[in-house]
Amino acid sequence: MSTQRPLRIVFAGTPEFAADHLAALLNSEHHVVGVYTQPDRKAGRGKKLQPSAVKQLALEHDIAVEQPEKLNSEAAQQTLADYRADVMVVVAYGLLLPEAILATPKYGCINVHGSLLPRWRGAAPIQRAIWAGDEASGVAVMQMEKGLDTGPVLHVEQCAIDARETSASLYKKLAQLGPRALITTLNDLEHYRANANVQAHDDATYAKKLSKEEGKIDWSDASQLERNVRAFNPWPFAWFELPGGKVGQRTVKVHQASVSSQVHHSTPGTIIECSPAGITVACSHGALTLHSLQLPGKKPLPVNDLLNGYATTFAIGVNLNDVD
């Protein structure tokens, strides 16, 4: 139950994760008076302009939508001021907010960030938590300031990272936690602002953006590679190239893998065991067993099915580093 009057809220966000938070606001006692989102982008085979998930939801509820390319002009700042918002809620918006914007609403701007700040500030906190082997993640509702995810934390809710967690599954967990944490904070915003925790900046880590190249498997440390497989699912996926075949048509995506207990003295990249349970590949440290793979132009398949047509491709002794 709220201990203060309903708030006038301007919401800023773009992807589905943000739309989940907007939906929670629309189902609350607070009033969403305007929505900011990224300009429509071309997508799909036809490369047609597509509205963001947040824009679609806003239009369904007849809420005014703003899609500025930037927010640093006087006109953009006046547009926000005209909404007379108590607070601006920002979730995966994709634009930097100038200090003038941060100071416009009565209670400033608050952000829902998918990590336990100050750990994993930046663009890819969900993926980096799995990549690093963290045992827990969560959401932090933060009062925004000029720095990147540096503001005082108003409220935190956390969850465990399971041993088989992927970025996709952790994303779903946080999409449940985030809206709940946001509404809890807004329902007693003055209290949470008065009791905000300043971040320990010396403990901060940075979650740099993912790249497709980072997903390439180098057959180094099996434990790290297993985390990569989970962290980079559903993008960019951990991947390797098959020996032979045309460049650009031999990339294999790894959907599921595990660390093998098998001891070996083989060259990294060498297939040392092959069975319906998995294809085990030697690494510099340990060995990695591949359980589900996606060949170019194909659907992901469990190894048991894949070997029916590619037994020689993944035979014992083949070195997956032998790519021309």
Side-chain angles (χ1 to χ4, degrees), residues 7-11 22 26 30-35 62-66 80 82-87:
L7 299 169
R8 287 178 59 86
I9 295 171
V10 167
F11 182 84
L22 176 57
L26 294 172
H30 303 292
H31 306 305
V32 179
V33 296
V35 162
D62 297 320
I63 300 171
V65 176
E66 307 287 347
L80 176 62
D82 290 343
Y83 280 107
R84 297 179 291 107
D86 291 309
V87 64

Side-chain angles (χ1 to χ4, degrees), residues 28 38 168 183 213 238 240 278-279 313:
S28 75
Q38 287 280 304
I183 298 301
E213 188 59 31
F240 61 90
I279 298 164
T313 303

Side-chain angles (χ1 to χ4, degrees), residues 246-270:
K246 296 180 180 179
V247 176
Q249 297 181 11
R250 58 191 182 193
T251 299
V252 179
K253 297 176 181 178
V254 182
H255 284 249
Q256 188 178 354
S258 65
V259 176
S260 170
S261 60
Q262 186 167 339
V263 178
H264 70 87
H265 301 284
S266 301
T267 304
T270 303

Side-chain angles (χ1 to χ4, degrees), residues 16-237:
E16 195 67 41
F17 184 75
D20 291 336
H21 290 73
L22 176 57
L25 289 173
L26 294 172
N27 288 322
S28 75
E29 62 184 14
H30 303 292
H31 306 305
V32 179
V33 296
V35 162
Y36 279 68
T37 192
Q38 287 280 304
D40 296 358
R41 307 294 187 196
K42 291 182 179 180
R45 290 186 177 181
K47 296 298 181 183
K48 295 181 179 180
L49 286 176
Q50 298 290 335
S52 70
V54 164
K55 180 179 179 179
Q56 293 179 56
L57 183 58
L59 293 178
E60 289 171 8
H61 289 80
D62 297 320
I63 300 171
V65 176
E66 307 287 347
Q67 296 179 276
E69 292 283 355
K70 296 182 180 179
L71 288 166
N72 52 8
S73 69
E74 288 187 10
Q77 293 162 16
Q78 184 58 52
T79 297
L80 176 62
D82 290 343
Y83 280 107
R84 297 179 291 107
D86 291 309
V87 64
M88 186 174 191
V89 173
V90 182
V91 184
Y93 178 31
L95 278 186
L96 291 175
L97 304 189
E99 288 184 86
I101 294 290
L102 296 175
T104 295
K106 178 181 178 180
Y107 296 115
C109 302
I110 66 172
N111 171 247
V112 180
H113 185 74
S115 81
L116 301 176
L117 290 171
R119 188 160 178 79
W120 303 127
R121 296 172 178 172
I126 294 174
Q127 297 91 332
R128 294 299 171 192
I130 297 172
W131 170 83
D134 292 359
E135 295 182 351
S137 181
V139 293
V141 183
M142 171 191 64
Q143 186 77 45
M144 297 179 71
E145 58 181 31
K146 184 179 180 180
L148 178 65
D149 301 328
T150 58
V153 175
L154 306 178
H155 180 56
V156 171
E157 293 200 20
Q158 71 176 53
C159 63
I161 295 179
D162 299 334
R164 299 182 68 178
E165 200 86 70
T166 65
S167 289
S169 63
L170 182 54
Y171 175 100
K172 290 180 180 179
K173 285 183 178 180
L174 300 191
Q176 294 290 321
L177 282 184
R180 185 175 72 199
L182 173 62
I183 298 301
T184 297
T185 305
L186 291 174
N187 284 351
D188 204 356
L189 185 56
E190 290 184 349
H191 167 78
Y192 283 103
R193 281 169 52 88
N195 294 277
N197 293 312
V198 176
Q199 292 188 43
H201 300 302
D202 290 344
D203 295 335
T205 55
Y206 177 64
K208 72 174 183 177
K209 189 176 181 179
L210 302 181
S211 68
K212 183 177 179 181
E213 188 59 31
E214 188 178 3
K216 185 175 183 180
I217 296 177
D218 59 5
W219 310 112
S220 54
D221 180 84
S223 294
Q224 180 62 63
L225 293 175
E226 186 274 337
R227 294 197 299 271
N228 289 2
V229 168
R230 293 184 290 111
F232 301 159
N233 180 344
W235 192 90
F237 279 107

